Structure formats: C-alpha cells, structure tokens
Amino acid sequence: MERRELFSSLVSPFTKDEQENESILIRPPYYKKESAFLKECIHCDGKCATVCEEHIIIIQEDKTPMLDLSISGCTYCDECAKACEYKVLKVKHKKDINISIKIDMLKCMSWNNTMCFSCKDPCIDDAIDFLAMFRPSINEKCTSCGFCIKYCPVGAITIG
C-alpha cells in the first residue's frame, strides 16, 4: 500500500457524510416518474426554477431540476408544477420530498446541553419536538421541506 492510499483510507470515514449529502439528488415534489426528467426536461428552458418563490430549484447541466435545501426550504406552493410546460411536474402528483431529515446528536448543540431552537423556529410543520428544552427529535409531521437545514448553526441537520 502506498502512502497516498493509506492517507485516503484514513481520511475517507470523516468525509463520507459530506460526500453523501452532496450526491443526493432531490427532485421537486410533484413528479410521478424519475425517467420523465431525462426525457422531457431536456426540451425545457427551466421555467420551474424561475417561478420558485424560495429560489431552491436549480437547473443542472443535464437541464433537469433539483432542489438545493441549503438555500431555503420548499413551501409546496405548487408554482413549479403549474409552470411545467412538459407536464413532468404536476400538482396531482404532489407528495413529500423524497428524503429523510435527521438530527446528528453528536453535532447538535441542544443534544450537547446548549439551548438552541434554530431548527424548530423555522419549521412550518411543527415537526421537531424537544424533550424539555433539549434533545430535539423529528416527528411524523415532517414533510422534508428542508427549512430546518439552513438555520442549524452547526450543520447537525442531515439529509438521508
């Protein structure tokens, strides 16, 4: 084993979570089939991104839309689905965003005995419960809108 391989193997466990979060493709919550993005969006000019009130829809190089929840969260306003000329996004296919949101207890300030409600305050679904004033947990009301992600000062909210 060469030095470079040894160093890479030692560092990889620490960078794995960050790489996984970056590689997750999050689509707007109004589609039926993933394959429709690659078939139809290549003909579009990205109107869904221009009408998004939170500016979280990013048009990728392959011309398909993805959500960037580090900017803000999704209000499920339906505007992207209404603007979709190729009917990839439709209001009738509305569902929760296809991710799960978790709290990393090791990073979370509140789990480490520091009062912090940064994730709870912006949550539009009241989906974060606290045990007394500490130990937040995400409950069944979570729609994976992502509003909590941006506001966590230590990056303890993760996408899975």
Side-chain angles (χ1 to χ4, degrees), residues 108-120 128-137:
C108 178
M109 291 169 53
S110 193
W111 270 94
N112 290 286
N113 299 323
T114 301
M115 264 199 269
C116 177
F117 299 101
S118 296
C119 60
K120 184 174 180 59
I128 301 176
D129 296 326
F130 279 75
L131 180 62
M133 292 172 40
F134 300 100
R135 298 187 195 165
S137 62

Side-chain angles (χ1 to χ4, degrees), residues 21-95:
N21 278 348
E22 289 176 12
S23 66
I24 295 173
L25 182 62
I26 307 169
R27 298 288 192 191
Y30 297 95
Y31 69 96
K32 187 172 184 177
K33 294 182 182 178
E34 177 77 25
S35 60
F37 287 106
L38 296 173
K39 288 179 187 173
E40 300 298 333
C41 292
I42 58 171
H43 308 292
C44 185
D45 61 356
K47 199 176 219 182
C48 59
T50 60
V51 299
C52 178
E53 63 186 33
E54 295 296 325
H55 308 290
I56 60 171
I57 299 179
I58 307 298
I59 304 300
Q60 302 180 102
E61 287 182 27
D62 65 0
K63 297 187 87 178
T64 64
M66 68 168 276
L67 300 183
D68 183 352
L69 298 178
S70 68
I71 298 169
S72 189
C74 180
T75 61
Y76 296 93
C77 68
D78 303 341
E79 293 303 316
C80 60
K82 292 174 187 174
C84 183
E85 297 172 14
Y86 291 90
K87 306 298 180 206
V88 174
L89 304 175
K90 294 182 183 177
V91 175
K92 72 178 185 177
H93 298 308
K94 186 178 193 173
K95 60 184 172 231

Side-chain angles (χ1 to χ4, degrees), residues 95-160:
K95 60 184 172 231
D96 289 349
I97 296 171
N98 63 339
I99 57 168
S100 64
I101 295 183
K102 299 174 183 168
I103 299 173
D104 184 336
M105 293 183 287
L106 297 175
K107 290 182 183 177
C108 178
M109 291 169 53
S110 193
W111 270 94
N112 290 286
N113 299 323
T114 301
M115 264 199 269
C116 177
F117 299 101
S118 296
C119 60
K120 184 174 180 59
D121 293 340
C123 182
I124 59 176
D125 299 313
D126 196 27
I128 301 176
D129 296 326
F130 279 75
L131 180 62
M133 292 172 40
F134 300 100
R135 298 187 195 165
S137 62
I138 298 173
N139 64 37
E140 69 282 346
K141 295 178 192 173
C142 181
T143 60
S144 301
C145 69
F147 277 104
C148 57
I149 296 169
K150 174 185 173 184
Y151 293 102
C152 179
V154 293
I157 310 280
T158 59
I159 297 171

